[in-house]
Amino acid sequence: MTEPATRRTPGKEPRISTGVPGLDDVLCGGLTPSRLYLLEGTPGTGKTTIALQFLREGAARGERALYVTLSETSDELRAAAATHGWSLDGIDVYELVDEMGLDPDSEQSILHPSELELGETVKDVIARVGETKPDRVVFDSLSELRLLAQNPLRYRRQILALKRFFAKRACTVLLLDDKTSETGDVQLHSIAHGVISLDQMAREYGSERRRLRIVKMRGIKFSGGHHDFALETGGIRVFPRLIASQHHAAFDPVAKSTGSAELDLLLGGGLVPGTNMLLLGPSGVGKTTTAVRCMKAALERGETATYYLFDEGLATLMTRAATLGMDLRPHIESGRLTITQIDPAEVSPGEFATMAREAVEKRGSSVVVIDSLNAYLHAMPGEEFLVLQMHELLSYLNQQGITTLLVLGQHGVVGEVRTDVDMSYLSDGILLFRFFEAQGMVRTALSVMKSRVNAHERTIRELKLSEGGLEVGQALEDFEGVLTGLPAYRGKVAMLTGQAPAGGEA
């Protein structure tokens, strides 16, 4: 009896890297070597790119790599690799069907009906494998093999024969398939040791979304569900689905100052690490300025912060902050502040969650600002479970001890205002902003409507933007109906004087 090429203890097999950033994390370590895997997806999903990354990773580790192609020529593969800035040096590319094989007069099946013999074409592959003794093999693609087999029975026999052949030679094999088989045909799934399925979704606006799912993977744990990935110059990067329950960190939940003593009193002591605060109000009421003031206070304490800007331009934010006495440039130059302008039409929810996670784990950010949730939620039409993904992200940030500030705009200015999406149940605290009229002027009221961690004030205070940033006044005890926008004056409480400087938040 012939012994296997390698002997391993079940459940303790080593892993090999796929060469695709993020995919090894989804696979909880990589692929089990010397197995046959199926990589399926419609044309354009990125199968060839993943295959090349898989082989290049092996070549970089000193392994022998072989690309067997029926669908593309060697020149086409090298040209595709060059678009990513790659060289295929160290990878043996073998064209299984040459010009003679395309001649109608030379039509033949790849394998003979017998399960014991391989056809002449596959014998060439055997010879090449015998010559190169590869550790990693890519077979591209099975759709051509399916057509040449002519019937399902012979096709299955061919796949089984290839599986046995490579298994005896300790090869890790990636079979590519473009899903041209009949709907519901899962015979490949039953044969393969593991199945990775790629998907591409076109949207009405913005770039297409790509995602993958591990359909099966025998003998190893993996992260289930869909994971977003991006196909860009330089290859594919996978963004593993964030599972907040897997990430915990120790931190001190002691309230920290917002930079305004009056705002600290209103919040019951300040902002507490491991919580998120929702800044809720109509456009122009001062939400962004308040978020910047709170973030700048953390920066002045020597902390690191990340600001995700969805709505306005970076130059506009920097200019407005400087006008209000909050120059952010020194903090950016020192490396403690990172402001990232996000185009939500081009960024998937999974990619954004990965960006936030890297800000925390790689850059050490203790404060994260998302400005605003409106753009994040509305500019991704058709994305299912977007609010649930935001819940997972906020749970992760809380468990890492991050202070998160969420800006959410409401429709309307004075009187009735409304919110398209209810995010209040996700928030640990809500800072409510309202316009109101008094003494012939439009003023701003500020109140804390919710706090899960502090005994906050129940008062309503006036807020004014000034050259010093923001100023919080006394409680509006002599007014009734402030939150309606049309208050009634019942006393002699002095209003904050002065106008917001030019360039202040409108």
Side-chain angles (χ1 to χ4, degrees):
M1 181 176 179
T2 303
E3 291 291 330
T6 57
R7 184 184 296 275
R8 298 179 175 86
T9 303
K12 296 184 179 180
E13 289 88 353
R15 301 287 188 88
I16 60 173
S17 174
T18 61
V20 181
L23 184 53
D24 289 347
D25 293 332
V26 173
L27 294 169
C28 299
L31 297 172
T32 303
S34 305
R35 301 289 188 271
L36 183 142
Y37 299 92
L38 173 64
L39 178 64
E40 63 176 11
T42 56
T45 50
K47 300 185 299 300
T48 300
T49 304
I50 289 180
L52 290 175
Q53 288 179 260
F54 170 72
L55 294 182
R56 293 184 75 249
E57 174 68 17
R61 294 176 178 271
E63 301 175 8
R64 293 183 177 272
L66 173 64
Y67 197 115
V68 180
T69 174
L70 287 87
S71 57
E72 296 185 75
T73 67
S74 175
D75 290 340
E76 288 174 328
L77 283 174
R78 296 185 188 281
T83 62
H84 293 289
W86 300 338
S87 168
L88 296 187
D89 294 343
I91 299 176
D92 186 19
V93 180
Y94 178 52
E95 297 180 46
L96 187 56
V97 178
D98 56 18
E99 294 181 1
M100 290 299 295
L102 298 177
D103 186 353
D105 296 333
S106 63
E107 182 178 345
Q108 61 177 327
S109 63
I110 287 186
L111 299 180
H112 293 293
S114 171
E115 295 182 3
L116 302 178
E117 294 185 10
L118 295 172
E120 292 298 325
T121 306
V122 174
K123 285 184 180 179
D124 292 341
V125 178
I126 294 176
R128 181 56 62 95
V129 171
E131 293 172 3
T132 61
K133 295 180 175 57
D135 300 290
R136 301 190 184 202
V137 177
V138 168
F139 199 93
D140 182 10
S141 75
L142 293 179
S143 58
E144 281 76 12
L145 194 64
R146 185 184 297 110
L147 292 174
L148 292 171
Q150 300 177 355
N151 66 73
L153 178 59
R154 181 174 295 178
Y155 173 61
R156 184 177 178 87
R157 286 175 174 173
Q158 291 170 353
I159 301 299
L160 286 171
L162 286 172
K163 179 181 180 180
R164 295 191 187 101
F165 169 72
F166 286 116
K168 292 179 180 179
R169 285 154 182 81
C171 293
T172 305
V173 184
L174 209 57
L175 302 179
L176 309 189
D177 184 57
D178 60 10
K179 291 186 175 181
T180 56
S181 60
E182 297 180 3
T183 304
D185 180 12
V186 293
Q187 58 178 326
L188 284 178
H189 291 201
S190 65
I191 295 174
H193 185 78
V195 179
I196 303 174
S197 181
L198 309 182
D199 189 22
Q200 180 178 227
M201 300 171 293
R203 303 186 305 151
E204 294 183 2
Y205 182 81
S207 62
E208 64 278 354
R209 292 279 192 262
R210 289 183 171 91
R211 61 184 186 177
L212 64 80
R213 182 171 69 92
I214 309 300
V215 178
K216 64 174 278 190
M217 200 62 62
R218 290 174 182 156
I220 66 173
K221 181 180 179 181
F222 59 88
S223 179
H226 288 101
H227 307 269
D228 293 330
F229 72 90
L231 174 56
E232 302 172 337
T233 301
I236 281 176
R237 183 186 181 193
V238 178
F239 309 109
R241 181 172 59 86
L242 181 60
I243 304 175
S245 60
Q246 298 177 353
H247 305 276
H248 292 272
F251 61 92
D252 189 5
V254 176
K256 298 182 180 181
S257 176
T258 62
S260 168
E262 293 79 9
L263 183 56
D264 289 344
L265 290 174
L266 189 62
L267 291 168
L271 296 173
V272 179
T275 64
N276 60 80
M277 179 66 67
L278 181 66
L279 282 66
L280 183 65
S283 177
V285 77
K287 303 183 299 299
T288 295
T289 301
T290 303
V292 171
R293 174 64 266 180
C294 295
M295 179 185 70
K296 191 170 185 296
L299 292 169
E300 291 169 348
R301 291 193 296 267
E303 299 181 36
T304 302
T306 299
Y307 197 109
Y308 293 108
L309 190 62
F310 283 84
D311 290 337
E312 62 182 305
L314 176 59
T316 303
L317 176 69
M318 297 291 291
T319 301
R320 178 152 53 87
T323 302
L324 294 171
M326 300 182 294
D327 190 4
L328 300 177
R329 288 181 177 82
H331 302 291
I332 294 177
E333 293 170 357
S334 69
R336 290 197 303 273
L337 172 60
T338 301
I339 301 179
T340 303
Q341 191 162 0
I342 302 292
D343 183 352
E346 301 297 323
V347 176
S348 67
E351 183 175 359
F352 179 68
T354 299
M355 293 170 63
R357 182 177 172 185
E358 290 178 348
V360 172
E361 298 177 5
K362 294 184 178 180
R363 296 198 297 271
S365 294
S366 60
V367 176
V368 171
V369 182
I370 301 177
D371 185 5
S372 70
L373 286 176
N374 301 78
Y376 174 77
L377 296 172
H378 294 165
M380 298 182 183
E383 298 285 357
E384 297 182 3
F385 311 116
L386 200 57
V387 174
L388 184 58
Q389 288 176 314
M390 177 57 67
H391 177 273
E392 202 75 12
L393 175 59
L394 294 179
S395 296
Y396 163 79
L397 293 172
N398 285 359
Q399 290 167 185
Q400 294 293 308
I402 308 303
T403 302
T404 309
L405 299 172
L406 309 168
V407 177
L408 181 62
Q410 293 181 299
H411 298 289
V413 178
V414 177
E416 182 182 358
V417 294
R418 59 187 176 84
T419 308
D420 285 343
V421 58
D422 182 14
M423 298 291 292
S424 59
Y425 76 99
L426 295 180
S427 307
D428 298 311
I430 299 177
L431 195 57
L432 183 66
F433 297 76
R434 282 290 182 268
F435 287 118
F436 72 99
E437 179 206 352
Q439 300 175 353
M441 295 182 61
V442 176
R443 300 177 181 272
T444 302
L446 182 64
S447 58
V448 177
M449 305 302 292
K450 170 185 176 182
S451 178
R452 289 173 175 166
V453 292
N454 286 341
H456 62 90
E457 283 189 7
R458 295 287 182 175
T459 59
I460 302 173
R461 292 175 178 260
E462 186 183 3
L463 172 69
K464 183 175 72 69
L465 306 184
S466 65
E467 293 182 356
L470 57 87
E471 184 178 352
V472 179
Q474 300 179 20
L476 300 175
E477 297 177 352
D478 295 335
F479 283 84
E480 294 180 0
V482 171
L483 298 184
T484 68
L486 300 172
Y489 184 58
R490 305 295 186 188
K492 299 181 180 180
V493 174
M495 296 287 96
L496 292 173
T497 59
Q499 300 288 338
E505 186 167 352

